[in-house]
Every structure is written in structure tokens, then in C-alpha cells.
Amino acid sequence: MPQSSLNTTLEQFTVWDIARAAAAKFDGQWSTEPGPWWVSSKVEDTAGHSFTVGVDDEGILYVCPEGYVFDRNTAFMYRLTKEGGLAVAAEAVADAIRKLLPLV
């Protein structure tokens, strides 16, 4: 597995960058794996809770529990801009995971 994405400038970041930054907001028990082309990522803890972070065809960031079929009605979705930055995107993902965690 690669250890870092190809990017990470102030204005460019991948979904994996967002997932890694979100996982860092939790205790050290969380890890991430990049998906194909870094447009999705898996975020999981050592207890087996796993989430998919991705971008849909319209460029909307989403978070849903791993194993669930992505559905606009059940996933947390965010329309984020580059101007918001990595920190805003990571906090949105971390917040969605906090809300979904009791349900999985």
C-alpha cells in the first residue's frame, strides 16, 4: 500500500487524504486504505467498524457504513468546496462517522 497520495498541496487533496485526516481525529485505533484512483477510501477501527468515504458522480463527498449499498437516502453527503480545505472535509467525515458508529 502506498503511504501517501501523489498530491497534497494547499488546494488539492484526495478522498484518501480526507479519510486519513478524519481518522486522525479519533484515537489511534483507526486506519485507512485508499480505494481505486483515490476517489474512495475505507476507514475502520480495530473493533471491526468500517466505513466507506467516497465521491459520487456529481462530486459530492459521502460516508456510509461498509457493506451497505450506497444510497443517497442513507449516506451522509456533503457538498464541499476546495476553499473549505482539508480540515473542513475531514471534520465532516469524522462527524458522520461519529453519528453512524452507534448504528453499525
Side-chain angles (χ1 to χ4, degrees), residues 24-54:
K25 294 184 174 290
F26 298 104
D27 62 25
Q29 304 299 313
W30 289 81
S31 63
T32 61
E33 291 182 24
W37 301 102
W38 301 353
V39 295
S40 67
S41 185
K42 183 170 150 181
V43 180
E44 62 186 337
D45 68 4
T46 57
H49 303 105
S50 185
F51 301 89
T52 299
V53 179

Side-chain angles (χ1 to χ4, degrees), residues 36-92:
W37 301 102
W38 301 353
V39 295
S40 67
S41 185
K42 183 170 150 181
V43 180
E44 62 186 337
D45 68 4
T46 57
H49 303 105
S50 185
F51 301 89
T52 299
V53 179
V55 176
D56 74 359
D57 293 339
E58 296 175 18
I60 298 175
L61 182 70
Y62 67 86
V63 180
C64 65
E66 185 78 17
Y68 282 63
V69 174
F70 170 70
D71 181 326
R72 289 181 177 275
N73 296 316
T74 59
F76 279 85
M77 302 183 69
Y78 303 92
R79 185 171 297 280
L80 301 172
T81 63
K82 288 191 298 185
E83 291 76 27
L86 181 59
V88 171
E91 186 54 44

Side-chain angles (χ1 to χ4, degrees), residues 84-99:
L86 181 59
V88 171
E91 186 54 44
V93 169
D95 186 53
I97 289 172
R98 285 183 200 104
K99 290 175 180 171

